[in-house]
Amino acid sequence: MDKLLRGARELGITLKESHLALFQTYYEELVEWNRRFNLTAITDYEGVQVRHFLDSLSCLLVLPRAELQAGARVIDVGTGAGFPGLPLRIVCPGMRLTLLEATRKKVEFLEHITRKLGLRDVEIIWGRAEDLAHRPGYREAYDWALARALADMPTLVEYLLPFVRVRGAMLAQKGENAPAEVHSAEEAIRILGGEVRKLVPVGLHGLAETRYLVIVDKRASTPDKYPRRPGIPEKRPLGVPPIQLSRG
Ligand code: SAH
């Protein structure tokens, strides 16, 4: 637990005993469920503390904590076993959180773990971003849309920006390649009504590689036709020229 506690302190977050108890239960349940279904490749104690919990909490370097606490609406798209959404919700209980996940088994875990941790009013949805982002009550309804390890930037912005209200923002957790990825998504971001605000490099306690937090502001409403049908944003990323196949 030491790495999590110290790492959080370095991020300016003071974890209380009650938080640590919740993270301990989260860890135990994750490992237990992972014996039956593949939820995550990281299951060693330190790996989970740093690469899952601490990495999720690092979003608080840029998210406005006071606004989250005051009830900001946040959606975590492709949350998997709950990252980054649930660690953020543990530390900021006031935020109104939706978790969206396409795989049924992961949704079952999310339902179990939120119940076990007593995290009330977390909305858990089994579905795809390309469908949910067209539904009233979800489209352009969020102050923040978040994602980690979901897709390359040009695809990711088509998944996230439709959920964000005008003057809201999206936050993508990215690896070392973030600057080039953001560059490749410039056209997609423009089409979807976004504008890059900044890239923030993050060093995590006990982790050598640099991570990035990428913030894209929503400036204008996203045209109704986005996101395109399920699978299309990934197959034909917006604003990226298709690879020319030569006839052999
Ligand atoms: N965010 C988590 C999980 C990353 S793996 C983490 O960082 O640990 C990506 C997850 O997104 C998978 O669980 C997959 O089922 C889900 N997913 C992929 N495409 C999706 C889509 N279009 N809509 C919703 N979920 C999606």
Side-chain angles (χ1 to χ4, degrees):
M1 201 48 82
D2 192 46
K3 278 243 159 80
L4 178 60
L5 195 58
R6 283 178 55 187
R9 199 179 302 140
E10 284 175 17
L11 297 170
I13 303 160
T14 310
L15 295 179
K16 300 186 191 140
E17 279 301 327
S18 57
H19 296 135
L20 295 176
L22 293 177
F23 282 116
Q24 181 62 28
T25 303
Y26 197 165
Y27 165 73
E28 286 165 9
E29 295 295 318
L30 183 69
V31 170
E32 175 59 28
W33 276 61
N34 213 56
R35 280 194 242 278
R36 287 177 284 146
F37 336 110
N38 184 24
L39 293 170
T40 171
I42 300 165
T43 54
D44 66 291
Y45 183 75
E46 213 176 283
V48 172
Q49 307 305 309
V50 175
R51 289 174 187 272
H52 284 327
F53 298 158
L54 198 56
D55 190 51
S56 296
L57 292 178
S58 74
C59 292
L60 290 171
L61 287 171
V62 298
L63 291 174
R65 248 183 118 169
E67 285 170 34
L68 296 188
Q69 271 299 19
R73 276 194 86 183
V74 178
I75 184 165
D76 178 5
V77 178
T79 187
F83 308 118
L86 284 182
L88 293 169
R89 174 60 175 69
I90 286 173
V91 174
C92 291
M95 72 195 263
R96 288 189 287 161
L97 179 64
T98 300
L99 300 174
L100 175 61
E101 171 51 49
T103 303
R104 180 68 216 169
K105 287 291 180 200
K106 293 181 181 178
V107 168
E108 281 170 24
F109 174 74
L110 294 168
E111 281 163 355
H112 167 79
I113 195 66
T114 47
R115 205 180 315 120
K116 186 95 184 175
L117 298 177
L119 302 177
R120 284 197 260 129
D121 303 324
V122 175
E123 185 178 26
I124 299 167
I125 298 178
W126 176 29
R128 290 190 64 98
E130 300 94 312
D131 296 317
L132 192 69
H134 288 286
R135 288 232 311 258
Y138 296 93
R139 187 173 187 83
E140 306 206 318
Y142 288 89
D143 300 297
W144 286 91
L146 319 176
R148 185 182 83 157
L150 174 60
D152 281 344
M153 209 59 195
T155 302
L156 188 64
V157 295
E158 189 169 349
Y159 289 158
L160 295 189
L161 282 172
F163 285 112
V164 180
R165 66 168 170 84
V166 174
R167 284 183 292 280
M170 58 161 270
L171 169 57
Q173 293 192 267
K174 285 285 172 190
E176 290 180 321
N177 214 13
E181 268 198 55
V182 170
H183 182 65
S184 73
E186 275 167 6
E187 178 65 2
I189 291 169
R190 191 190 59 71
I191 292 169
L192 297 164
E195 186 184 331
V196 178
R197 188 197 304 177
K198 61 178 171 181
L199 282 73
V200 179
V202 180
L204 290 183
H205 188 89
L207 201 64
E209 70 242 36
T210 301
R211 313 265 304 132
Y212 280 90
L213 299 171
V214 179
I215 305 181
V216 179
D217 289 314
K218 180 97 169 230
R219 293 280 185 213
S221 202
T222 299
D224 287 344
K225 64 177 171 191
Y226 302 111
R228 291 164 294 166
R229 287 182 292 112
I232 303 297
E234 193 181 9
K235 200 170 158 200
R236 288 193 271 118
L238 210 51
V240 178
I243 299 163
Q244 296 293 322
L245 296 174
S246 59
R247 293 184 189 195

